[in-house]
Amino acid sequence: CYNFFIMRIWFIGLGLIGMPMVRNIISKGGDVSLWNRTHGKVDEFVALWAKSYNTPRELGENVDVLILMVTAG
């Protein structure tokens, strides 16, 4: 059994669905790294020990799980 909270999780998209998901993972001790087109949304989570990256490419090789929460339109 793989422990979900040992994995390095990368989130792209901190909108209406992404933000609560990231809050929940962080509150449970998850290791979360973030990238969002609007950098201001990332600041709240960096204060809670999340890692922030300037581009998606910077992080690509350093995660176990990638979660995309972006709109289709």
Side-chain angles (χ1 to χ4, degrees):
C1 178
Y2 198 81
N3 186 338
F4 179 74
F5 292 106
I6 293 175
M7 292 187 284
R8 296 163 298 172
I9 303 165
W10 182 27
F11 248 84
I12 294 180
L14 295 173
L16 294 174
I17 297 173
M19 288 182 86
M21 290 179 73
V22 170
R23 277 190 202 107
N24 188 41
I25 292 170
I26 290 173
S27 74
K28 305 289 190 234
D31 181 6
V32 180
S33 296
L34 307 168
W35 181 82
N36 195 70
R37 182 181 52 172
T38 308
H39 293 286
K41 291 185 176 185
V42 173
D43 296 339
E44 169 188 348
F45 299 108
V46 170
L48 298 172
W49 302 103
K51 297 171 200 77
S52 173
Y53 291 83
N54 292 322
T55 66
R57 185 177 183 140
E58 287 180 11
L59 184 55
E61 296 177 358
N62 298 310
V63 296
D64 298 313
V65 176
L66 169 59
I67 300 172
L68 297 170
M69 283 297 176
V70 296
T71 59

